[in-house]
Amino acid sequence: MAPPGQPSATAARRDWASHIIHNPRLIFSSFILALVFFTFGFDGSVMGGILAMPPFNHQFGSAHTPTGPGLTSTDISVMTAVPTTGCLLGLPLAAYCGDHWGRRKTLLFGCVLSAVAAAIQTSAFGIAQLVIGRWLANAAIFIFIVMGSTFLAEIAPDELRGVLIGLSIVLIDAAAVLSSGINWAVSTNQSQFAFRFPMGLQIAFPAVITAGIFFLDDSPTFYLTRSEDTRALRSLRKVRKGYSEQEIEAEFAALKTQAALRVEEIKVPWTHLFKGVNLRRTLLALSIGNMQQLSGIAFATNYATIFLATIGSDISPFLLALAVAIVGFGGAIAGLFIVDAVGRRPLALATFIILFFVNLVIGVLGFTDYLHNGNISRAIAAFCCIFAFFFAAGFGPLTYVISGEMPTARLRNKTSAFSFFVLACFSTAVQYILPYIANHPANLGPKTYLIFAGWMFVCVVVTFIWFPETKGRTPAELDRMFEARIPARHFRNHVCNLNIETFLNEHKAGLNIVETKRM
């Protein structure tokens, strides 16, 4: 048995080098699955730069300015907020197809939808066609993030679950760096190439993902839910190269002890998300993703270039947006290692508190004469970079780790779909309203960050009281602990006998008994 505070001994059995050297199939599978998040990061970041490009404004703007057509607050809101409602197509498809077709086939369908959407956007000459293309792109993105986080959670070893799911934010921020760099490179081009080239690149990403997915098998948990134990064990062996047969059988036994796993055991309607202990798990699964919506992240993605263009800095807003993206990428890499090193709860509390103070400082600087003081405008830009780093280090991995590991196996697809549906609704409202608050008619500018600061203070309180530590726990352990209604503050040190080490010890004990009988 593992000692108190050490819920699983698998970390002691396998270090990082062992996973990387002896398990290339796991690393390859995790990278391909994390790559689906690249489309999400590229879409949000590239649009933030395109909105500030003069050729784009001239083509799609409805306002009349001295320099020609320009974008109104309504234009910006429609092009950024309305496409988020693509979740109304993507999330039901993810929930249904993920359970009936499997994770792998559903991702392939998402790739086809993403490529079609990118082609529609690239060829758009009016707001309606552009919004339709972005709406379909968002439908594909929601399929990607539900299936990607679910699939990663189901193939990751318990001690590396945070790291492997955390690859998602690394790829999101890598995409943001690429798109910001491209936007900066073409920002001086006055032809439509400036915005059609970045949009057109989005066609290439699903093609690469499709090629990689053909080499993946579906997850062991999906096969277990369909009572296909032989295929489940075969799938587990593929992503556990270098493991001993005893370790694989012990992990397989632990997987089979998950609650209500089999299709024949229980049919799970959507209402089960809100019954009994599942209600707590559903609320926790959607917590981090929705907390980020008013954290200030919208000003670091969709509105990054526009916002940075309004603070009076003498540095190109496209270059500043690239700097924000690069710093965010660094934060994502840091979060990748920290999420499993310190745990979910400490990482959330530390980064949320830092973001509260960063937002507060930017909001207060908004009351100064930043438009005519270069030092203040540069300070605002610097704090935007600090925000990007700590957001990526905290919210980045936690959003997808928590949505993937909180639900029980039979409800994982439905819980993830519902979580991201609520996130999409919240995100749509925030993205639609923010241009009116930050720009005309409210014209709050940097003062908008005071709203973000207030929200982050609430998030810190909620996290401290209700958020449990799930680091290193097997799915079966989490099932047992939630059923026992363990308080959040006791999760970290609770001793549970459903970890992989327990099954390994039982296997060794069985071998000893057999050997004794033979003697």
Side-chain angles (χ1 to χ4, degrees):
M1 288 287 292
Q6 304 286 333
S8 174
T10 54
R13 297 197 317 271
R14 296 227 166 247
D15 57 19
W16 284 70
S18 176
H19 281 289
I20 294 173
I21 296 172
H22 299 296
N23 219 339
R25 187 64 176 266
L26 172 65
I27 303 305
F28 172 78
S29 300
S30 300
F31 177 77
I32 293 298
L33 294 175
L35 197 60
V36 304
F37 293 88
F38 193 92
T39 60
F40 177 36
F42 194 92
D43 177 84
S45 183
V46 79
M47 199 62 191
I50 287 174
L51 289 171
M53 293 180 180
F56 184 84
N57 279 249
H58 291 165
Q59 178 64 47
F60 295 97
S62 61
H64 298 287
T65 68
T67 59
L71 297 175
T72 65
S73 295
T74 299
D75 292 335
I76 296 172
S77 294
V78 168
M79 285 187 281
T80 56
V82 173
T84 309
T85 60
C87 68
L88 297 175
L89 173 64
L91 293 177
L93 284 175
Y96 177 84
C97 297
D99 283 337
H100 291 80
W101 297 358
R103 287 57 161 145
R104 181 175 173 272
K105 291 180 180 178
T106 305
L107 283 173
L108 288 172
F109 173 74
C111 288
V112 174
L113 185 60
S114 178
V116 171
I120 294 174
Q121 289 183 69
T122 306
S123 62
F125 283 91
I127 288 182
Q129 184 182 350
L130 179 66
V131 169
I132 290 173
R134 297 204 71 230
W135 190 86
L136 291 174
N138 273 266
I141 284 170
F142 279 104
I143 291 175
F144 284 156
I145 60 179
V146 171
M147 286 297 95
S149 56
T150 296
F151 207 152
L152 279 167
E154 291 176 344
I155 68 170
D158 300 318
E159 69 273 25
L160 285 184
R161 190 166 56 232
V163 172
L164 295 184
I165 301 179
L167 282 172
S168 57
I169 189 61
V170 174
L171 270 296
I172 288 173
D173 283 291
V177 172
L178 176 63
S179 59
S180 297
I182 292 172
N183 283 340
W184 178 45
V186 300
S187 61
T188 56
N189 190 304
Q190 296 305 307
S191 70
Q192 293 194 0
F193 174 84
F195 65 87
R196 295 200 188 277
F197 174 69
M199 284 183 175
L201 274 180
Q202 296 178 93
I203 300 175
F205 306 144
V208 175
I209 295 168
T210 298
I213 288 176
F214 274 112
F215 294 96
L216 306 187
D217 196 0
D218 227 314
S219 76
T221 297
F222 169 70
Y223 287 129
L224 286 174
T225 62
R226 303 181 68 83
S227 298
E228 299 178 17
D229 288 26
T230 301
R231 298 181 72 180
L233 185 56
R234 182 192 67 189
S235 173
L236 182 62
R237 283 197 173 105
K238 287 182 179 180
V239 290
R240 295 294 185 271
K241 294 293 184 182
Y243 279 56
S244 67
E245 188 62 23
Q246 291 80 9
E247 286 178 296
I248 293 174
E249 289 179 359
E251 183 172 0
F252 190 60
L255 287 174
K256 290 195 292 184
T257 58
Q258 297 177 78
L261 184 65
R262 307 292 189 173
V263 171
E264 62 268 21
E265 286 180 358
I266 185 170
K267 299 293 183 181
V268 283
W270 285 88
T271 54
H272 281 214
L273 295 177
F274 315 105
K275 289 185 176 180
V277 296
N278 286 331
L279 174 60
R280 180 187 180 189
R281 302 183 76 164
T282 299
L283 292 175
L284 287 170
L286 62 84
S287 61
I288 301 296
N290 285 278
M291 285 177 181
Q292 70 172 284
Q293 294 308 309
L294 271 178
S295 67
I297 186 56
F299 274 21
T301 53
N302 287 326
Y303 306 125
T305 311
I306 294 177
F307 171 72
L308 292 169
T310 65
I311 61 175
S313 175
D314 54 356
I315 304 174
S316 166
F318 291 94
L319 181 57
L320 287 175
L322 175 59
V324 170
I326 292 173
V327 173
F329 180 62
I333 294 176
L336 185 69
F337 298 97
I338 295 173
V339 67
D340 273 330
V342 305
R344 286 57 160 152
R345 181 181 168 90
L347 177 60
L349 286 172
T351 54
F352 292 1
I353 291 171
I354 292 172
L355 291 179
F356 162 72
F357 283 108
V358 170
N359 288 336
L360 186 64
V361 170
I362 296 176
V364 171
L365 289 176
F367 288 94
T368 64
D369 188 18
Y370 58 89
L371 289 176
H372 301 96
N373 190 319
N375 290 330
I376 296 177
S377 63
R378 283 189 287 273
I380 292 175
F383 275 100
C384 287
C385 290
I386 295 173
F387 174 91
F389 180 89
F390 286 102
F391 177 92
F395 272 115
L398 289 172
T399 296
Y400 303 103
V401 170
I402 297 306
S403 68
E405 70 182 5
M406 284 296 177
T408 189
R410 292 289 293 128
L411 284 171
R412 186 168 289 127
N413 269 348
K414 289 184 173 65
T415 304
S416 293
F418 177 74
S419 299
F420 287 114
F421 171 74
V422 176
L423 182 153
C425 293
F426 197 3
S427 176
T428 300
V430 170
Q431 292 186 53
Y432 191 87
I433 294 172
L434 275 183
Y436 295 97
I437 296 175
N439 305 316
H440 180 77
N443 293 314
L444 288 184
K447 299 186 191 74
T448 310
Y449 275 83
L450 291 177
I451 298 174
F452 304 150
W455 176 257
M456 287 311 305
F457 178 80
V458 174
C459 292
V460 170
V461 174
V462 170
T463 301
F464 181 78
I465 297 175
W466 285 294
F467 197 77
E469 178 56 71
T470 55
K471 168 190 171 184
R473 298 290 186 176
T474 67
E477 283 183 290
L478 292 176
D479 287 340
R480 178 70 59 84
M481 292 164 70
F482 277 112
E483 286 292 340
R485 303 180 186 276
I486 304 298
R489 63 185 181 277
H490 294 159
F491 255 65
R492 188 179 189 91
N493 296 319
H494 184 77
V495 177
C496 191
N497 61 356
L498 292 178
N499 53 56
I500 295 174
E501 186 191 29
T502 300
F503 291 97
L504 271 175
N505 289 337
E506 289 178 356
H507 178 81
K508 292 176 182 177
L511 290 178
N512 290 336
I513 292 174
V514 172
E515 290 296 326
T516 301
K517 289 181 177 180
R518 288 177 178 175
M519 293 178 62

